[in-house]
Amino acid sequence: NDVRLKLSKLNQSQLKTLTLIALGFDKPISGKEAQAKLDLSSAAITRAVRILEDEALIVKSDENQLSIVDPLFESVLAQYESENVE
């Protein structure tokens, strides 16, 4: 499965960041709220975003809003997160 293969290549920081984007997080991605949700530093989030952009998994709009390129990815990540909420 292509989605599973791509997800298996991501590290924990990238996966956490991608999942937050999939859930429609609309605040600054490396801001304090995102850092608290992800339990990552601003630098780690910024690095993850750069790699996810380089891998063409996410894109940034003119308004600096991040979104997932493949709707199937977004669906899978949102489903996974909703099943694994604390």
Side-chain angles (χ1 to χ4, degrees):
N1 180 316
D2 190 43
V3 171
R4 185 174 291 166
L5 179 62
K6 285 183 180 179
L7 289 175
S8 71
K9 293 182 178 183
L10 300 178
N11 70 26
Q12 197 64 29
S13 297
Q14 295 158 4
L15 191 55
K16 284 180 171 185
T17 303
L18 192 61
T19 302
L20 190 62
I21 295 166
L23 294 172
F25 188 76
D26 61 356
K27 301 201 173 41
I29 194 66
S30 58
K32 296 264 185 233
E33 190 173 338
Q35 290 175 47
K37 284 184 176 291
L38 299 175
D39 193 27
L40 295 171
S41 69
S42 179
I45 296 169
T46 301
R47 224 176 2 263
V49 166
R50 187 173 58 246
I51 291 166
L52 294 169
E53 285 179 312
D54 289 348
E55 294 293 322
L57 295 174
I58 62 173
V59 292
K60 190 180 293 185
S61 71
D62 293 337
E63 296 82 30
N64 283 329
Q65 191 68 25
L66 295 170
S67 60
I68 296 178
V69 173
D70 185 340
L72 182 58
F73 255 69
E74 190 165 19
S75 174
V76 167
L77 287 165
Q79 176 72 29
Y80 171 80
E81 185 62 22
S82 69
E83 291 174 357
N84 293 287
V85 172
E86 295 181 72

